[in-house]
Amino acid sequence: MKILVVNAGSSSLKYQLFDMDTNEVLAKGLCERIGIDGIVTHKCPGKADYKADVDFPNHRAAIECVLSLLTDKEKGVIASVEEISAVGHRFAHGGEKLKKSAILGDQELAYLESIVGLNPLHGPPAISGLKACKEVMPSVNHVGVFDTSYYSDMEDYAYIYPIPYELYEKHKIRRYGFHGTSHRYVAGKAAEMLGNKDAKIITCHLGNGSSITATVNGKAVDTSMGFTPQDGVPMGTRSGAIDPTVVTFIQKAEGLTAEEADKVLNKEAGLLGISGISSDCRDICNAAAEGNYRAALALKILVHNIKKIIGSYVAEMNGVDAVVFTAGIGENDRQIREDVCKDMSFLGIEIDEAFNQSCKRGEFADITAKGAKVKTYVIPTNEEYMIALDTQNLTK
Ligand code: ADP
């Protein structure tokens, strides 16, 4: 069974074609600058990478280009589009109703359109991508996999904010959580490694956007991102959690509109805002190594906040069996892992620092120190595979 996974952003469309019988990625690529001009990058194992300028006025043109590349005699991997059994679509937000991955019929599409207000950045392009794919591939099922759905079993006291309850009822303001597909994947892998499906696991997805999730018995019980991906640990350009009054104070003090204040906290804060150098952790690490005070401070603030959240989740779950690091920083930045795990022996978290520094980047590693009570793993995330798997399970 071959499944195409599509992740549509406002000006980009990422794709991967999976052969689910062999668990292989047959091809993957990226259409960029949709609505501007257009570039496609297409990769198939064993073939030369292909990159070209193509005019992408909209998502439909992009998906048409993807299908023609997948079926191309030289660059392609399938003889015809009919070989694609189903398409899995990544959605950041499934609202309160789409609690699980689902085949997207008219009703589900109408619901997704009704909640774009909750998800103004990711919702509209993901819907455009879905509509374009449905037009071009009308005879197969299209499945939506939602970042939020991993959190749909959280207790009400974990997702209701301590604000007037009517605001939840009226506007659905609550903790939704994001990156759920990644947390579900790596928490599942960790449970497999532990040989314990009931395990208490803390997964740290540390990338350009970062979130931390507590999982018990395969279900998320809490997560650091909230109503939007803005909450939790500091990120590349997002502040993460701050005193909410800072927002209205900035507006008044700097004479900003609500949108401008939002931009400051979403695009100009986090590692970029503190360091004044870059949102990319590698640049910050290099600057800190050269003695830059604000770069070093940005890293200390990041580590401090990750530790605080891990500690709070241990308290919430009354223990932890494994801590997992994943995504760009989690999989690659050995120093951040070491700094986060330092002085956590009280909680049973201790890593083998030498092995942590020498283990291969981006590969699975058990970096637990000998005799430590809690396992610490590095697990490369694979959201696309999870989307393909859900799509297969719903459509086979
Ligand atoms: P996104 O949220 O865009 O998917 P990623 O998961 O790709 O982000 O993570 C991007 C972050 O990972 C960047 O801050 C980048 O600096 C960091 N990163 C990637 N590779 C390395 C590396 N080798 N060492 C340290 N940090 C890295």
Side-chain angles (χ1 to χ4, degrees):
M1 185 177 195
K2 296 192 180 86
I3 288 179
L4 180 64
V5 172
V6 171
N7 182 352
S10 56
S11 65
S12 71
L13 186 145
K14 289 188 203 141
Y15 62 94
Q16 286 198 21
L17 183 68
F18 284 86
D19 184 336
M20 300 307 285
D21 302 323
T22 57
N23 276 344
E24 267 175 302
V25 175
L26 300 175
K28 63 176 172 182
L30 169 67
C31 301
E32 293 172 275
R33 298 178 62 85
I34 298 172
I36 307 165
D37 36 38
I39 306 169
V40 65
T41 313
H42 176 76
K43 299 179 182 191
C44 308
K47 296 188 183 189
D49 292 356
Y50 173 76
K51 191 166 183 170
D53 292 335
V54 187
D55 193 21
F56 292 142
N58 49 39
H59 285 93
R60 181 171 173 146
I63 192 69
E64 279 171 346
C65 167
V66 171
L67 295 181
S68 79
L69 282 170
L70 291 174
T71 52
D72 185 88
K73 280 215 164 60
E74 277 162 29
K75 301 173 204 85
V77 285
I78 48 175
S80 95
V81 175
E82 271 74 65
E83 284 186 45
I84 299 173
S85 305
V87 185
H89 297 262
R90 185 226 166 195
F91 276 82
H93 218 307
E96 286 202 304
K97 291 203 177 138
L98 290 165
K99 295 182 170 207
K100 283 186 189 149
S101 302
I103 294 176
L104 299 175
D106 293 346
Q107 239 180 333
E108 289 76 14
L109 180 55
Y111 177 67
L112 286 169
E113 284 180 321
S114 76
I115 59 162
V116 289
L118 292 175
N119 182 29
L121 287 182
H122 294 106
I127 291 170
S128 299
L130 169 68
K131 286 183 171 169
C133 289
K134 280 186 150 217
E135 278 167 25
V136 179
M137 287 175 279
S139 55
V140 297
N141 279 315
H142 293 259
V143 168
V145 178
F146 311 98
D147 278 6
T148 48
S149 56
Y150 189 49
Y151 307 106
S152 59
D153 287 319
M154 282 194 324
E155 297 288 347
D156 48 6
Y157 56 76
Y159 71 75
I160 296 287
Y161 288 123
I163 57 174
Y165 193 79
E166 294 72 25
L167 290 172
Y168 162 63
E169 293 179 311
K170 199 167 153 197
H171 301 294
K172 298 291 170 212
I173 299 170
R174 51 162 282 182
R175 183 181 301 282
Y176 287 101
F178 297 89
H179 288 150
T181 312
S182 171
H183 288 287
R184 178 159 60 105
Y185 177 79
V186 295
K189 286 273 166 212
E192 256 173 59
M193 292 305 301
L194 293 164
N196 175 11
K197 66 176 181 41
D198 304 329
K200 298 170 179 173
I201 300 167
I202 297 175
T203 44
C204 306
H205 177 114
L206 308 174
N208 190 34
S210 298
S211 62
I212 304 181
T213 291
T215 293
V216 181
N217 195 7
K219 291 187 172 167
V221 293
D222 209 346
T223 192
S224 62
M225 282 181 168
F227 178 57
T228 70
Q230 171 67 281
D231 201 1
V233 290
M235 307 174 215
T237 62
R238 295 188 196 123
S239 64
I242 53 168
D243 177 342
T245 313
V246 170
V247 183
T248 43
F249 189 91
I250 293 176
Q251 277 183 252
K252 287 183 210 146
E254 298 278 315
L256 303 181
T257 62
E259 287 72 26
E260 286 165 342
D262 196 51
K263 185 168 165 247
V264 171
L265 296 171
N266 258 301
K267 303 267 181 221
E268 297 164 15
L271 296 179
L272 173 67
I274 306 161
S275 70
I277 292 172
S278 168
S279 61
D280 192 301
C281 205
R282 282 165 292 200
D283 299 338
I284 314 267
C285 292
N286 291 339
E290 283 164 13
N292 184 293
Y293 164 74
R294 278 172 54 181
L297 178 64
L299 296 175
K300 282 187 204 160
I301 294 173
L302 175 64
V303 167
H304 176 72
N305 280 278
I306 297 169
K307 271 176 172 289
K308 279 207 307 199
I309 295 176
I310 291 176
S312 68
Y313 288 170
V314 175
E316 208 175 315
M317 296 191 290
N318 188 22
V320 60
D321 297 305
V323 173
V324 177
F325 289 95
T326 194
I329 297 171
E331 290 168 33
N332 295 295
D333 197 317
R334 298 151 167 166
Q335 198 55 47
I336 298 262
R337 292 198 302 254
E338 181 177 322
D339 293 347
V340 167
C341 296
K342 212 181 238 15
D343 299 329
M344 297 237 265
S345 55
F346 181 77
L347 300 181
I349 301 167
E350 284 174 277
I351 64 166
D352 179 332
E353 291 182 0
F355 182 57
N356 174 55
Q357 289 292 344
S358 64
C359 65
K360 260 194 162 170
R361 289 185 198 277
E363 283 191 11
F364 172 84
D366 178 348
I367 57 170
T368 314
K370 211 165 168 228
K373 205 165 71 185
V374 176
K375 290 281 183 192
T376 305
Y377 299 131
V378 180
I379 304 182
T381 194
N382 197 343
E383 290 158 281
E384 292 78 13
Y385 176 70
M386 208 73 237
I387 296 172
L389 201 59
D390 282 4
T391 305
Q392 180 187 32
N393 289 336
L394 280 164
T395 59
K396 72 180 170 194

